[in-house]
Amino acid sequence: MENDVISKVYGTRVFNDDVMQRYLPKKTYQSLKSTIDSGQDLDREVANVVAHAMKEWALDNGATHYTHWFQPLTGVTAEKHDSFISASSDSRAILEFNGKELIKGEPDASSFPSGGLRATFEARGYTAWDCTSPAFLREDALGVTLCIPTAFCSYTGEALDKKTPLLRSMEALDTQAQRVLKLFGKETARVDCSIGAEQEYFLIDRDAFLKRDDLIFSGRTLFGAMPPKGQELDDHYFGSIRERQGAFMKELNEELWKFGILSKTQHNEVAPAQHEMAPIYDTANIATDHNQLVMETMRKVARRHNLECVLHEKPFDGINGSGKHDNWSIVTAEGENLLSPGKEPHKNKQFLLFVAAVIRAVDEHAALLRYSAANAGNDHRLGGNEAPPAIISIFLGEQLEDIVEQIIDKGFAEHSIKSSHMDIGVNTLPNLRKDVTDRNRTSPFAFTGNKFEFRMVGSSQSIATPNTILNTVVANVLSEMADELENSSDFDSALDSLIQKTLKEHQRVIFNGNGYSEEWVEEAAKRGLPNVPTMVDATPSLIDDKTVKVFEKMHVLSKVELESRAEICYESYSKALNIEAKTMLEMASKEYIPSVIEYTTKLANSINGVKSACPEADVSVQSELLTTTSKLLKEARTALLALDKSTKKGSEMEDGVDRATFYKDVVSTDMANLRNPIDELELIVDKEDWPVPTYGDLLFEV
């Protein structure tokens, strides 16, 4: 029955290959496929025919409007809807959609973050059809809308979105990887990076969510004491999925399948009320679009079940936060995974060269990769003994690490550690074949069989930026390797020498131990590896000379485009903390402090009442509670005034690194000083007097 459901709904909302073959003339279909598969220029006449076919397909499925769906530097998606309706000369409505409307749109560029690339009075921006990512239909309260994935650029040609640099980085990686493959005697139509983005999220009751202004405005709880039970029993992880969450997951799967998103895995995560889904791999561009759709769909479906899907990286203090594991590999058009070790990886020189290139790229651009996973929310998660630390390192596993050590020592490897069978000790259970290495969940960048898993990315983030940076820095290393090998007189000897030299010079970034330990922090410092704790600390790496040189050489981002993104980072960080600070001020002054005053009044009345009724009665408990509560109340009020002062000062500062640093160092400290006494008060004040749902209410009453 489930198979029947999947076959009926899968891809029904996507202008996919099957739909194109049905709606397009054969010649047009073949021309469009050549553009998609090989990067050939798109013919304008082909666009006209495709536009007509898209319109007919959309109308057949009930659409009335279309939109250029794009990904500005806000990190979320944007769209402007236009109807297919036009007026004819005889005052009748006709339905039109042509190639010009398909290829180009014109949203307002000045109203999106541009980091100075656009002035307020310079409004023009363009969206350009990305034919490599299929159009899709979205059905909601607006009706059915044809959504056309597009890139977004300014009037002067700079990228104002996340898709454009991603596409540029994919072309750079393709070009340089093909250069390397040719040295091994291989030809391929294209080399793509293949991505699988695991998505973690929280589900909480929507009624409870709406009673917490901090969740509404900032996506995380800014106050809250730990409940008696958290995640310490590990009973939620992979536990039986409850009915309400199961109903959500079932509908989520069906909605994603309609978009052609193969939602493969679903399970409970470590924290209570936390879950995870994982899709099948796709090219970086489509995987990025799909992940944006996943997040949008999660929120919509959750609300149908009176749930709220929370994607913040750290919505609950003291509880595991949420990440997005970005599984990255390099694959040819013919399906060869260039990071697959094969049966004898120590002899697989092509594999070893590509792995060496990744190791070098990660080591040389560690701070930049840390930036790629940076936002204000992820600062609370990284390094918190639950997620990868803020230090970039690579886990290779026992087999590959052994090969690397052999190559560093001798210039070549003589053997590979083989997998073995594991006898569990029960006759009725099968002997399992073990992998050649264990996994390391503390590593931010881990080799996992035939791919690297970048585990630092935050749950709310677009995967476009980390993959753009990863593609670009690896492409640059492959370019330099190709230069060296192409100019060598003895390829085999030069190849062995290059692999050894690269691994020897960059072995410091390889670490297979416990990334959560204090010992690793000390060891990383000795190795000279950067420890970048916050977004503000990470952002300078975006505009240092080394980054600019690489990104301009690979034609991914210009110096001006990089500088604009740095400005946006500082601005978004300051704004995020400013919103949080103002939310805390409002909640403390209008909810918490009045409630605590009411509670202290009850205590005082209780003391007076008991003393009046029985002068000999012991009221020491009430008196002690009143003293403690009043003391904490004063601390809260003092902290509130300090936060109000620093927030006002921060609000008056100009956007930039100084303002962001002030929020990081001063405002965030004042926020913590306000939270501490109120969280203590939560453990004292009667539950019926507490103004908002507690962690226990939010995490367990779902």
Side-chain angles (χ1 to χ4, degrees), residues 9-271:
V9 304
Y10 183 75
T12 53
R13 293 184 183 174
V14 185
F15 194 71
N16 55 27
D17 195 73
D18 289 342
V19 175
M20 288 193 293
Q21 291 192 59
R22 290 204 314 269
Y23 279 82
L24 291 173
K26 187 174 182 180
K27 184 178 179 181
T28 305
Y29 166 76
Q30 290 173 341
S31 178
L32 180 61
K33 283 290 288 179
S34 294
T35 299
I36 294 171
D37 295 340
S38 306
Q40 295 183 11
D41 289 343
L42 179 69
D43 184 84
R44 178 60 66 94
E45 187 53 40
V46 168
N48 278 322
V49 178
V50 173
H52 176 76
M54 266 192 198
K55 181 199 72 175
E56 292 301 308
W57 170 70
L59 293 175
D60 288 345
N61 285 276
T64 58
H65 288 68
Y66 68 92
T67 181
H68 278 195
W69 186 76
F70 60 103
Q71 299 170 38
L73 297 172
T74 56
V76 295
T77 60
E79 55 201 58
K80 180 184 73 171
H81 295 205
D82 291 293
S83 74
F84 292 115
I85 297 175
S86 297
S88 67
S89 57
D90 56 0
S91 300
R92 289 185 299 114
I94 59 174
L95 302 176
E96 289 184 334
F97 184 57
N98 58 42
K100 181 180 178 181
E101 292 168 318
L102 170 62
I103 289 174
K104 189 181 82 170
E106 190 183 331
D108 186 341
S110 66
S111 298
F112 291 103
S114 71
L117 290 176
R118 294 268 81 190
T120 303
F121 65 91
E122 295 173 322
R124 196 181 295 277
Y126 297 116
T127 49
W129 175 37
D130 172 20
C131 65
T132 64
S133 183
F136 57 92
L137 298 172
R138 189 172 57 202
E139 184 174 4
D140 50 28
L142 287 167
V144 180
T145 304
L146 171 65
C147 299
I148 304 162
T150 56
F152 179 42
C153 65
S154 73
Y155 179 73
T156 48
E158 294 94 354
L160 293 175
D161 66 342
K162 293 180 177 288
K163 178 183 280 282
T164 301
L166 176 63
L167 292 172
R168 293 172 182 169
S169 76
M170 291 171 66
E171 289 193 0
L173 184 64
D174 172 36
T175 300
Q176 303 308 324
Q178 288 207 49
R179 286 181 64 196
V180 172
L181 288 176
K182 284 179 181 177
L183 294 167
F184 287 91
K186 293 183 177 180
E187 297 283 344
T188 180
R190 186 168 182 83
V191 176
D192 274 314
C193 48
S194 180
I195 304 298
E198 305 167 26
Q199 179 70 56
E200 294 176 342
Y201 61 97
F202 280 83
L203 284 177
I204 61 176
D205 182 81
R206 181 156 172 78
D207 292 336
F209 171 87
L210 292 173
K211 294 176 182 176
R212 298 271 322 210
D213 283 351
D214 46 5
L215 281 171
I216 292 171
F217 293 125
S218 71
R220 74 180 181 104
T221 53
L222 302 170
F223 300 97
M226 280 293 294
K229 178 180 182 293
Q231 62 192 54
E232 58 269 30
L233 295 180
D234 300 318
D235 53 339
H236 189 260
Y237 191 48
F238 279 26
S240 177
I241 299 170
R242 288 176 286 178
E243 291 288 315
R244 191 175 179 188
Q245 291 88 338
F248 158 82
M249 292 179 185
K250 181 177 184 295
E251 185 176 355
L252 175 66
N253 285 332
E254 292 172 359
E255 290 297 309
L256 294 179
W257 292 335
K258 292 175 186 177
F259 290 127
I261 300 172
L262 281 166
S263 177
K264 178 72 173 175
T265 302
Q266 59 193 29
H267 63 83
N268 290 350
E269 255 299 333
V270 173

Side-chain angles (χ1 to χ4, degrees), residues 655-685:
D655 281 323
V657 62
D658 290 341
R659 185 185 186 208
T661 302
F662 179 80
Y663 273 96
K664 174 177 71 77
D665 294 338
V666 179
V667 176
S668 63
T669 300
D670 289 343
M671 289 167 63
N673 291 339
L674 176 56
R675 176 173 187 157
N676 292 335
I678 289 180
D679 285 359
E680 287 189 54
L681 285 163
E682 183 182 322
L683 301 174
I684 298 172
V685 175

